[in-house]
Amino acid sequence: MFLAVLIGIFSGLAVVCFRIAIEWVHLVTLGSSMFPPVPRVLIVPAAGGFIVALLVIYAFPAARGSGVNQTKAAVYISNGYVPFNTVIGKFVICALGIGTGQSLGPEDPSLQIGAGIASLLGRRLNLSQEKVRLIAPVGAAAGLAAAFNAPISSVIS
């Protein structure tokens, strides 16, 4: 029970930081105006998409794809092992993508970030592969609950 609470706290904090990063990128790139200049609205999403594509291809290739599918594969194939490099990549790439106006939502990356943090905590605590496999969905539920700003739903999940 203590481990589930610990995973919930760390996953929730990571997703809150993720949401803050999205807002920060949005403010820096598009500004705080209700009606930003048209060239900015055209250039920022295109440049953001180009930067995200370069990061996915060269820096974080494991962060591509759907977080739900990647997490399911980690749970069922890799015994809950989600590389922390993937978590960092998903955080950076999706914060840039969503913050620059790409048509993405924060829910899918939040799920994978939460599962990755649970996986990292399980490995750091030297839990068996079976235990890490069991706690990865706990982190995914905590990340998803934080993304939807619904903490009670992660307790029920």
Side-chain angles (χ1 to χ4, degrees):
M1 184 59 114
F2 176 73
L3 184 58
V5 170
L6 192 66
I7 289 169
I9 290 170
F10 282 116
S11 296
L13 287 175
V15 173
V16 168
C17 290
F18 175 62
R19 299 291 295 260
I20 291 170
I22 291 170
E23 291 299 320
W24 182 81
V25 169
H26 181 78
L27 282 173
V28 168
T29 58
L30 291 169
S32 61
S33 172
M34 288 291 284
F35 303 104
V38 174
R40 184 179 249 188
V41 172
L42 295 174
I43 292 171
V44 168
F50 182 71
I51 293 168
V52 165
L54 290 176
L55 286 172
V56 167
I57 292 169
Y58 296 111
F60 302 107
R64 69 178 63 173
S66 169
V68 174
N69 294 337
Q70 300 268 348
T71 302
K72 281 184 179 181
V75 169
Y76 293 116
I77 297 170
S78 304
N79 287 326
Y81 177 74
V82 178
F84 197 65
N85 188 28
T86 303
V87 173
I88 293 170
K90 193 65 102 166
F91 186 100
V92 170
I93 289 168
C94 291
L96 283 173
I98 297 168
T100 58
Q102 306 300 316
S103 59
L104 302 169
E107 298 83 17
D108 188 69
S110 297
L111 183 140
Q112 191 171 7
I113 290 168
I117 288 175
S119 176
L120 177 70
L121 284 172
R123 292 191 313 268
R124 292 284 182 219
L125 295 172
N126 294 322
L127 298 179
S128 67
Q129 286 184 346
E130 184 61 32
K131 298 279 185 189
V132 173
R133 181 175 183 243
L134 292 174
I135 64 170
V138 173
L144 200 57
F148 282 114
N149 200 18
I152 300 299
S153 66
S154 67
V155 175
I156 296 171
S157 298

